[in-house]
Amino acid sequence: MRILFLAAALILSPIEARAQAVPPAPGPADRAVQPVAVPTVAAPPAPLAVTARLETEAEAMAEDAAEYARQFGVSQPEAIARLTAQNASIPVTDAIAEHYRDRLAGIAIEHRPAYRILVSLTGATPVPAQSIIAGGITVPIVFRTGARVTREQVIWAMTNHQAALRAALRTPPGMGLDPRTGELAILIGSADAPAGTAALKTRLEAIAGVPVQVRVLNHVDVNLAPEGGSRVEGVSPADGRRYLCTTGFTVTDGIRYGVTTAAHCVDDLVYRDPQAGSTPLPFVGQWGWGYRDVQINAADAPLPPTFYADTARTRLRPVTGERGRASTRAGDFVCHRGERTGYSCALVQLTDFAPAGDLCGGACLPTWVTVAGPTCKGGDSGSPVFSGTTALGVLKGASYRGDGSCVFYFYMSVDYLPPGWQLLKVPPLIQPLPAPDVPVSSPAGTMPGGYDPAGER
């Protein structure tokens, strides 16, 4: 495997990527900002007149559901029901994760042959199947026992043995927790396993101290050139060339307004909006080490809590909520809007992923979330990742096969915005999606509005 680095949002004009060995070192602006308590912010006026239409939550759901229906061959009503259930089941899986914390190996959403929630646990003590009713459908919750180690043990192994695992291979691998099996998935190229993976698996397990699954992908992980909700451009002082990037979400520190993009973008940017024209965005700071890849550029006027989700940038979505990494499950259906690829949706694969190589100013921590391809290209880095009107994260990079096709992209969760900065959000435009119509059911009984803690651990 070769590890390539494309400078974020650094698409040349004409389109051409610039190589970069590591994200730029933090300067004086890369310092913690004192947190400022900021309440939910109603939509302020944009600095320039915007004529793009603002979608409602129902319209955003319908748009995402149409893409789900296309990919999984179900009707539009069934797709809406499943995405409603996806949102409504989050408090339930959060409660399950907490209740079974000492046994939890992972939680995943399955879509075929039927829509269900799979919970993997260590130990042999069985847990009866349960269910919730949400979106008008019944969603089974299936507990699979027998995992050898917990999620926390795998994450500890990745964090503390990453250097030794990297040293054991020709090229530093990507790695992450497989929540369906509770194993440490290590992603390598064929050069690291010329005689097969059996002996390598044994060797890596001896280093990690946890079960390992070796995946031969023949891929490279790269930082993408960021281009997200809309287009921003800047001139690099290093070579005098103009580069383009993408914005993610609008943010505030309680005093200033700004927009996010990837940390490896040109510092001072000009925002190019098809509706509002051009606006200078002075550089505030960049945070691009270990578990972050985010830059903030300021605006000199209030910004609306919206982003472009459609390819043509004619419709704006409001941000009504945010979802952290702990509440994101493998199998969640999420979307992103990149300047190069437009609007697309796919399934979350891993929620505890450390990209290969040295894309984080050195080795990356296992805090990144991967989403299945095939839609990712240079120019998408910095773009918003979302579900309906809920913000999930800012796209960092992607993994490509040798033929250039996209294996997956990975993003930074909104959990890791710089200290003191918060997403701009509006109150829901319609009634929020309902919580489960019926609480979780189990032979041990039920607990109104949540998971039944009376079950066996």
Side-chain angles (χ1 to χ4, degrees):
M1 280 190 307
R2 294 177 300 112
I3 305 300
L4 304 179
F5 308 89
L6 301 184
L10 306 184
I11 296 288
L12 299 179
S13 181
I15 306 259
E16 168 187 343
R18 183 182 73 176
Q20 177 173 301
V22 294
D30 191 43
R31 61 181 183 270
V33 180
Q34 292 301 313
V36 177
V38 181
T40 297
V41 181
L48 296 173
V50 176
T51 59
R53 186 172 67 81
L54 185 66
E55 292 184 333
T56 65
E57 286 187 88
E59 289 171 331
M61 168 70 80
E63 187 176 354
D64 293 355
E67 185 62 18
Y68 183 99
R70 183 187 68 80
Q71 292 187 30
F72 290 95
V74 299
S75 67
Q76 177 77 355
E78 173 68 11
I80 290 176
R82 291 187 180 191
L83 293 186
T84 301
Q86 174 176 290
N87 294 337
S89 65
I90 289 169
V92 175
T93 54
D94 283 351
I96 288 174
E98 179 60 29
H99 182 63
Y100 289 102
R101 183 174 180 178
D102 57 349
R103 293 185 62 187
L104 184 69
I107 298 176
I109 307 297
E110 294 189 338
H111 301 261
R112 294 190 176 104
Y115 191 84
R116 67 175 187 170
I117 298 171
L118 174 65
V119 182
S120 296
L121 301 174
T122 60
T125 304
V127 177
Q130 303 176 11
S131 65
I132 61 170
I133 298 175
I137 60 174
T138 300
V139 181
I141 303 175
V142 179
F143 293 84
R144 179 185 295 165
T145 59
R148 291 164 55 189
V149 293
T150 65
R151 171 180 177 268
E152 290 184 353
Q153 288 174 295
V154 173
I155 293 174
W156 188 93
M158 276 191 283
T159 303
N160 291 276
H161 299 305
Q162 186 181 47
L165 292 167
R166 285 160 59 99
L169 297 163
R170 295 185 181 184
T171 305
M175 59 186 75
L177 167 73
D178 183 340
R180 295 171 177 82
T181 65
E183 296 173 313
L184 171 56
I186 298 184
L187 288 54
I188 66 170
S190 55
D192 278 305
T197 61
L200 179 61
K201 170 182 165 70
T202 300
R203 184 156 55 97
L204 295 177
E205 284 184 340
I207 296 172
V210 297
V212 167
Q213 109 189 197
V214 179
R215 300 182 187 179
V216 182
L217 296 182
N218 288 319
H219 68 123
V220 291
D221 292 350
V222 301
N223 278 333
L224 294 180
E227 310 182 25
S230 195
R231 183 187 193 99
V232 283
E233 298 176 356
V235 176
S236 169
D239 57 18
R241 295 181 178 178
R242 180 172 297 278
Y243 296 96
L244 82 88
C245 319
T246 308
T247 59
F249 300 106
T250 55
V251 293
T252 183
D253 65 355
I255 300 172
R256 297 167 293 179
Y257 290 86
V259 294
T260 64
T261 187
H264 42 281
C265 185
V266 173
D267 290 353
D268 292 307
L269 298 169
V270 175
Y271 182 79
R272 306 290 187 191
D273 189 290
Q275 311 294 332
S278 300
T279 305
L281 298 175
F283 177 78
V284 172
Q286 59 183 207
W287 297 259
W289 297 90
Y291 60 98
R292 284 190 176 121
D293 191 341
V294 61
Q295 175 172 307
I296 294 177
N297 288 72
D300 59 3
L303 294 174
T306 58
F307 63 96
Y308 287 111
D310 65 315
T311 299
R313 292 191 294 173
T314 60
R315 298 192 303 276
L316 289 163
R317 284 196 188 184
V319 175
T320 60
E322 58 186 283
R323 184 176 307 150
R325 189 169 65 92
S327 296
T328 302
R329 295 80 51 99
D332 277 346
F333 188 76
V334 304
C335 305
H336 91 283
R337 194 271 171 198
E339 189 69 14
R340 289 291 301 282
T341 59
Y343 166 82
S344 64
C345 305
L347 298 180
V348 170
Q349 294 179 322
L350 305 173
T351 60
D352 305 287
F353 177 69
D358 296 312
L359 298 183
C360 301
C364 296
L365 295 175
T367 56
W368 305 86
V369 180
T370 73
V371 180
T375 309
C376 58
K377 289 183 179 179
D380 284 357
S381 191
S383 61
V385 181
F386 51 90
S387 175
T389 58
T390 299
L392 302 181
V394 176
L395 196 150
K396 172 178 173 60
S399 182
Y400 290 102
R401 300 181 184 90
D403 62 4
S405 59
C406 173
V407 183
F408 56 80
Y409 67 81
F410 43 95
Y411 71 86
M412 183 200 81
S413 172
V414 291
D415 294 323
Y416 305 126
L417 287 175
W421 289 89
Q422 299 185 19
L423 290 174
L424 285 164
K425 291 179 284 188
V426 296
L429 300 181
I430 60 172
Q431 290 299 314
L433 295 173
D437 302 321
V438 174
V440 174
S441 62
S442 76
T446 60
M447 180 178 181
Y451 178 67
D452 167 31
E456 291 291 330
R457 287 182 181 272

